[in-house]
Structure formats: structure tokens, C-alpha cells
Amino acid sequence: LSELEALMERMKRLQEDKEDEEASQEEMATRFEKEKKESLLVISGGIWAFPVQFHVCFFRNKSFDDEIVSTDVSRYVEDPGFGYKDFARRGEDHLPTFRAQDYTWENHGFSLVNRLYSDIGHLLDEKFRMVYNLTYNTMATHEDVDTTTLRRALFNYVHCMYGIRYDDYDYGEVNQLLERSLKVYIKTVTCYPERTTKRMYDSYWRQFKHSEKVHVNLLLMEARMQAELLYALRAITRHLT
């Protein structure tokens, strides 16, 4: 099977599995913890780390590194050293988890933002919904395809990298739908965008249209923005109460 056909087959199989049997809450929690730990081993810039026995081995793809352009952004920011860091150290057994049902955008963040800045919550919510629901119901040359499962996997994987868990989502879907090169691309775009290269962009979903891959970028950026807002707004809520 081609990359596209294989992906569509996995999407179909996931849908059938959902109809036959749903995973328990305990199993879904275990799958989230596994995916969260594995996300720490996904290194941007074409590096992938695998846990082997009791040590970690790193494999570097030089073809990616050769294209990375060193950009001096210090003149644009007050703190040049400020940037993304993994939310936990490798090897830790208990990584911090932000449980989405305890503080969600829809039930908590939206109303707080509107209190702090009138109507901005409506604008942000419209932006999030528009990007998340955007679809032509196509996958490359295939039409009338429901891409909801794939879009949710992309969005939730970004939140997973930020330690945010949705109790009603089976994170086993992430590993089935997002291949390794795509995970590297996702982490690079959302955490270290200045390292993104065309070679990385070309390395995943080769049969897809550019418009579909641009939609992926939009999903990643909105997911990151919402994750950052959730952490900030939760902190403000705790301070106010």
C-alpha cells in the first residue's frame, strides 16, 4: 500500500474498532502516559531518540541539519534564551499532567478571557473552531473522506506534548495515524519553528496536496496557542481565587 492508502486503511480500522469495543478509562490513561513519555524522545531538526535497555541512543539525520539556518532573533526579543523546553526530564516516572476536564477552553478559559478583554474570547473561539473544523472532505485524490479522526489526532498530539490530557480520547490513535517523520515535523513546527525546513515539510504525506499540508500547519499553531492559553488562564484563575 502507498502511504496514503495505508493511512486511510488505518483510519477505517480505527472507526470499526470504536464501534466494536471502546477502551476502558484505565487503558486510555495508560496510553496517554505512554504517548506523553514518547513525545519527549521526539527531537526537532530530524533527530529521533529511542530508549534502548537502560540508556538512550540518539540518531541524527544530517540531511535535515544541513538545511537548518541559524537565525539571530536576539534583537527582536528581551530574553534570547527564552524558548520551549520539554515539560519533564527524560527518565522521570511521573510527568505532570494537565487534565483538560478540570480546566477547558470552552468552560473556563473562554469566559475568563472575555472578562479580562471584552469580546476577545469570541474572536479566539471562532478562530479555533474555524481551523479545527476546516475540511474539503478530501485526502489527496480521494473525495468524500471524513478527516475528523485525523484532525483530532494532530490537535491532541500537540496538547499531549504540552502535558494536556483529554479523558475521552484514546491516545492509541496518535501512534496509528501519525508516522515518525510527521511527529518530528509537528514538534519542530510547534516548539522550534525557526528550525523547520522544506525537506522536513516534504518528508511526510508526499501524496497530499499543499493546501492539505498547510492546513496541518494551521492546526498545529492553533493547538499550541490554545495549550499556552490554558496554562496561562488557569494560573490567572488560581491567582484570582
Side-chain angles (χ1 to χ4, degrees):
L1 292 177
S2 68
E3 180 184 35
L4 172 61
E5 299 295 337
L7 177 57
M8 293 189 65
E9 181 63 29
R10 289 195 295 271
M11 290 173 60
K12 180 181 178 182
R13 190 165 57 248
L14 281 173
Q15 189 60 42
E16 293 173 348
D17 291 343
K18 278 184 181 180
E19 296 173 356
D20 293 340
E21 182 180 357
E22 290 188 3
S24 65
Q25 283 293 320
E26 182 179 357
E27 178 63 25
M28 289 201 291
T30 300
R31 291 174 183 176
F32 169 77
E33 291 299 325
K34 179 181 178 181
E35 190 62 46
K36 186 171 62 170
K37 289 181 180 179
E38 287 182 355
S39 73
L40 299 178
L41 302 176
V42 178
I43 312 299
S44 71
I47 310 170
W48 184 271
F50 295 90
V52 180
Q53 295 179 353
F54 300 104
H55 63 283
V56 177
C57 296
F58 296 89
F59 298 88
R60 180 180 299 273
N61 186 326
K62 294 184 179 180
S63 61
F64 280 8
D65 295 341
D66 293 342
E67 290 192 2
I68 296 176
V69 179
S70 177
T71 304
D72 180 15
V73 298
S74 61
R75 58 189 174 190
Y76 303 115
V77 295
E78 295 181 0
D79 182 5
F82 183 81
Y84 174 86
K85 291 185 179 179
D86 283 322
F87 58 86
R89 298 174 183 173
R90 295 184 181 86
E92 290 186 357
D93 292 329
H94 303 287
L95 307 181
T97 297
F98 185 133
R99 299 185 67 192
Q101 72 271 18
D102 295 335
Y103 198 94
T104 65
W105 166 254
E106 293 80 6
N107 298 330
H108 305 89
F110 172 79
S111 58
L112 176 58
V113 165
N114 269 340
R115 281 174 52 198
L116 299 174
Y117 191 165
S118 180
D119 292 332
I120 192 66
H122 293 286
L123 296 174
L124 288 170
D125 191 62
E126 182 181 1
K127 187 162 69 86
F128 291 146
R129 291 179 185 274
M130 181 181 296
V131 171
Y132 187 86
N133 295 321
L134 179 65
T135 179
Y136 301 128
N137 293 313
T138 62
M139 287 181 66
T141 57
H142 295 265
E143 298 181 351
D144 298 322
V145 180
D146 184 357
T147 61
T148 303
T149 304
L150 186 56
R151 282 181 279 125
R152 191 176 186 191
L154 289 164
F155 196 93
N156 285 1
Y157 181 62
V158 174
H159 279 204
C160 178
M161 288 195 303
Y162 282 81
I164 299 174
R165 180 197 168 202
Y166 294 88
D167 282 352
D168 62 345
Y169 183 68
D170 183 357
Y171 287 86
E173 295 183 7
V174 170
N175 264 341
Q176 296 188 57
L177 297 177
L178 309 183
E179 71 272 15
R180 184 182 307 170
S181 60
L182 179 53
K183 284 185 175 182
V184 171
Y185 181 78
I186 290 172
K187 187 161 189 177
T188 305
V189 168
T190 55
C191 304
Y192 312 97
E194 73 280 1
R195 301 182 187 177
T196 309
T197 66
K198 186 177 185 302
R199 185 182 295 272
M200 296 174 67
Y201 172 85
D202 292 336
S203 69
Y204 78 96
W205 288 2
R206 295 175 180 86
Q207 295 170 292
F208 282 67
K209 301 173 184 176
H210 286 298
S211 61
E212 293 169 318
K213 298 178 77 168
V214 167
H215 183 207
V216 170
N217 287 333
L218 294 175
L219 268 173
L220 303 183
M221 291 295 96
E222 295 305 321
R224 188 186 85 164
M225 179 181 228
Q226 190 177 109
E228 292 169 339
L229 277 172
L230 285 173
Y231 275 104
L233 294 172
R234 185 181 66 168
I236 294 173
T237 299
R238 288 176 175 175
H239 174 72
L240 295 176
T241 56

